[in-house]
Amino acid sequence: MTISREDIEKVAVLARIRLDEEQIPALEDDLGNILSLVDQLRAADTDNVEPLSHPLDAVQRLRADEVTETNQREAFQAIAPATEDGLYLVPRVIE
């Protein structure tokens, strides 16, 4: 697949990228190579390939869920401007 000079100029305008005249031929070649690679990838037969959630079947190590801090709820709520039934009260911002 090839990309035309007009397409490059149009995309440059949409992306608000300023291109010099001498940059356009090199960009045509580079984008043409990228599009040909995309065509090669599209041609690959992936009908019998199941999608992977992760390519390495890695398992994430999780730390033990243990309490490491002391409960300071009363101390924090004692200095809060407004609380009720153990909850912090905040001003309404949406009506």
Side-chain angles (χ1 to χ4, degrees):
M1 181 175 202
T2 60
I3 187 165
S4 68
R5 179 183 189 90
E6 293 80 25
D7 290 336
I8 290 175
E9 291 171 349
K10 184 177 177 181
V11 170
V13 169
L14 292 173
R16 301 194 190 302
I17 298 172
R18 183 175 34 133
L19 293 176
D20 296 331
E21 287 297 320
E22 54 271 357
Q23 290 177 313
I24 294 177
L27 197 54
E28 275 183 275
D29 292 337
D30 291 343
L31 290 176
N33 290 337
I34 291 170
L35 292 175
S36 66
L37 179 61
V38 169
D39 286 339
Q40 288 178 10
L41 291 173
R42 282 187 186 159
D45 181 22
T46 59
D47 290 337
N48 296 325
V49 178
E50 291 188 33
L52 298 173
S53 61
H54 193 281
L56 301 176
D57 290 332
V59 177
Q60 184 175 357
R61 294 180 294 155
L62 301 175
R63 64 175 172 82
D65 191 12
E66 298 172 355
V67 177
T68 58
E69 298 286 326
T70 58
N71 186 1
Q72 300 179 23
R73 181 177 181 177
E74 283 80 22
F76 292 143
Q77 288 195 344
I79 60 174
T83 61
E84 182 179 302
D85 295 330
L87 302 174
Y88 295 97
L89 301 178
V90 295
R92 178 180 287 204
V93 293
I94 300 175
E95 296 192 29

